[in-house]
Amino acid sequence: GEDVEQSLFLSVREGDSSVINCTYTDSSSTYLYWYKQEPGAGLQLLTYIFSNMDMKQDQRLTVLLNKKDKHLSLRIADTQTGDSAIYFCAESGNTGKLIFGQGTTLQVKP
Amino acid sequence: DSGVTQTPKHLITATGQRVTLRCSPRSGDLSVYWYQQSLDQGLQFLIQYYNGEERAKGNILERFSAQQFPDLHSELNLSSLELGDSALYFCASSVGPGMSSPLHFGNGTRLTVT
């Protein structure tokens, strides 16, 4: 079945890079997504990558996709306190729905 | 602002009651999705509509139903509410019926059943 796994917690210092990892099971996924959820707020689409790409960069965000290992990562350069949030990885399986991971809580210490 | 509007933001009701959650998709989006977010289950897909028709069904209970109207707004109806139905309910929209375009989420409706 479809499954997405993420580590639950990551703590970094302000100014450092953060790397959030995700593994998924559905090899037919067309797109893979990263969403950000701040406390009391909805899910904000951060970025997404098409399955035939290896990397996508968008300002401070870099997404790496290893399709062979079904591994996706999100790197945030120069992490700021405003980046503290829960980050969700999601895959679009062949069943027409997004499957989300459990979310990684990113804590940024000043 | 994602462009997806959900009302109400908060809802407090008693067990056994029925509530309706409303969602207006982004302009131009034809698909509407409903998700439930709870502490123990995470983000669970409930149901998808595309241009008024049910497109995909997930872990939606029989006590729950949804529809998409001709103006493309959608409503999620929750009946015979139980304590365990307390959760954050998200609506999302996208342009097409499949996964070729990203989903944009609203800010959710927080439902508390007492």
Side-chain angles (χ1 to χ4, degrees), chain B residues 11-51:
Chain B
L11 205 46
I12 301 174
T13 189
T15 53
Q17 295 298 305
R18 172 190 168 96
V19 296
T20 298
L21 282 52
R22 184 188 166 101
C23 169
S24 293
R26 288 191 326 158
S27 177
D29 285 358
L30 299 179
S31 269
V32 169
Y33 304 76
W34 287 97
Y35 278 81
Q36 179 194 60
Q37 185 180 36
S38 60
L39 282 174
D40 54 343
Q41 295 288 323
L43 272 159
Q44 296 286 316
F45 169 71
L46 296 178
I47 198 164
Q48 178 202 359
Y49 282 82
Y50 174 72
N51 206 21

Side-chain angles (χ1 to χ4, degrees), chain A residues 7-21 60 74-85 87 104-110:
Chain A
S7 53
L8 294 181
F9 186 78
L10 176 66
S11 181
V12 300
R13 292 226 171 265
E14 194 174 17
D16 288 350
S17 290
S18 307
V19 179
I20 301 172
N21 294 301
R60 293 191 296 122
L74 174 69
R75 179 177 180 269
I76 306 172
D78 187 24
T79 314
Q80 303 297 307
T81 53
D83 295 323
S84 294
Y87 290 81
T104 300
T105 298
L106 175 64
Q107 179 190 65
V108 183
K109 296 179 181 177

Side-chain angles (χ1 to χ4, degrees), chain A residues 30-31 33 35 37 41-43 45 48 88 92-93 95-98 100, chain B residues 33 35 37 43 45 48 56 88 90 99-107:
Chain A
T30 310
Y31 287 92
Y33 300 85
Y35 284 86
Q37 186 178 28
L43 292 160
L45 176 66
Y48 60 100
F88 290 92
S92 61
T95 53
K97 60 187 182 187
L98 270 188
F100 285 87
Chain B
Y33 304 76
Y35 278 81
Q37 185 180 36
L43 272 159
F45 169 71
Q48 178 202 359
L88 197 49
F90 285 111
M99 287 288 122
S100 59
S101 56
L103 271 61
H104 296 269
F105 282 78
N107 285 333

Side-chain angles (χ1 to χ4, degrees), chain A residues 5-77:
Chain A
E5 297 282 337
Q6 297 178 241
S7 53
L8 294 181
F9 186 78
L10 176 66
S11 181
V12 300
R13 292 226 171 265
E14 194 174 17
D16 288 350
S17 290
S18 307
V19 179
I20 301 172
N21 294 301
C22 167
T23 57
Y24 60 97
T25 57
D26 190 345
S27 58
S28 68
S29 291
T30 310
Y31 287 92
L32 295 124
Y33 300 85
W34 285 103
Y35 284 86
K36 175 183 179 183
Q37 186 178 28
E38 296 184 57
L43 292 160
Q44 175 195 352
L45 176 66
L46 278 181
T47 186
Y48 60 100
I49 187 167
F50 190 50
S51 59
N52 68 354
M53 296 170 65
D54 298 325
M55 185 182 93
K56 180 179 179 181
Q57 188 152 2
D58 184 1
Q59 299 182 333
R60 293 191 296 122
L61 305 179
T62 303
V63 178
L64 294 178
L65 174 60
N66 181 329
K67 207 174 174 184
K68 174 176 164 289
D69 294 339
K70 297 179 190 167
H71 181 267
L72 183 73
S73 68
L74 174 69
R75 179 177 180 269
I76 306 172

